[in-house]
Amino acid sequence: MKASLNEDWKKDRIASAHLGENPMVIAKMRSGFAVIGDTQFLPGYCVLLPFVNVDTLNDLDVKQRSEYLLDMSIIGDAIQEVCKPRRINYSIYGNTDTFLHAHIFPRYEWEPEERIPKPVWQYSEDKWRNSKYHFSVEEHGELKEKLSKKINDLINRIY
């Protein structure tokens, strides 16, 4: 079973998070919601959704931007501790999904050598679309719980 049989929540991920209907939410943070990524071919991939639906980081005031970027780094700290990757990649685009959201990708030593110097987006379409890499509670539920616990622990220490 995937994250949810009814995937209407995907139509507006931010609103569904506010309503408690987004099953991918890991933690409520100061600036938004930490969510586990739809695909997990790089275990621990997460996204930060802001509380307010804006187009870009620049649409937030300076305080909101600071909080958003801090929360993004807290998610990275949690992934680092739980998943032990060699590094964390952070990215904010908004070209396809035209609302602010930050991708937090763990990068691993076991990735194919030719992939290591390249952005995650250059992985084959198979990694993004193949259902064997999609988040499922059975396969990734424990990882989601560990990330949730670590993010909440960090929030309690940092805020």
Side-chain angles (χ1 to χ4, degrees):
M1 182 169 128
K2 295 299 171 206
S4 172
L5 292 176
N6 178 354
E7 295 194 348
D8 286 346
W9 61 270
K10 286 185 177 181
K11 292 176 187 170
D12 188 336
R13 292 172 185 261
I14 296 169
S16 66
H18 281 290
L19 294 170
E21 297 172 357
N22 184 331
M24 308 302 267
V25 172
I26 296 172
K28 186 175 180 180
M29 303 183 80
R30 188 172 279 167
S31 70
F33 300 96
V35 299
I36 195 156
D38 291 356
T39 62
Q40 289 295 307
F41 64 88
L42 293 171
Y45 161 51
C46 292
V47 176
L48 176 59
L49 301 174
F51 281 138
V52 294
N53 193 339
V54 296
D55 288 339
T56 71
L57 183 66
N58 303 87
D59 292 333
L60 300 176
D61 65 36
V62 173
K63 182 177 185 290
Q64 291 171 316
R65 288 180 201 183
S66 296
E67 290 173 348
Y68 191 80
L69 294 172
L70 174 62
D71 284 349
M72 190 171 72
S73 71
I74 290 170
I75 295 169
D77 289 340
I79 295 169
Q80 191 75 45
E81 289 188 41
V82 170
C83 300
K84 309 291 189 227
R86 69 178 176 81
R87 73 179 314 103
I88 302 291
N89 289 169
Y90 300 90
S91 58
I92 298 174
Y93 297 108
N95 299 330
T96 302
D97 293 322
T98 58
F99 59 92
L100 174 62
H101 60 288
H103 301 271
I104 304 102
F105 281 104
R107 300 301 303 264
Y108 294 96
E109 293 293 340
W110 51 256
E111 291 180 67
E113 190 174 329
E114 69 275 6
R115 297 268 48 102
I116 289 175
K118 296 181 180 172
V120 171
W121 304 115
Q122 290 186 5
Y123 266 95
S124 70
E125 194 69 22
D126 176 60
K127 296 286 190 187
W128 298 100
R129 303 279 181 226
N130 190 324
S131 63
K132 76 178 182 178
Y133 300 113
H134 291 183
F135 174 85
S136 72
V137 173
E138 294 80 11
E139 183 74 22
H140 308 103
E142 184 178 340
L143 174 60
K144 182 182 174 200
E145 287 304 313
K146 286 179 180 178
L147 288 167
S148 175
K149 181 179 182 337
K150 181 51 68 179
I151 289 170
N152 283 300
D153 288 348
L154 290 167
I155 286 171
N156 289 332
R157 264 192 291 151
I158 294 169
Y159 295 168

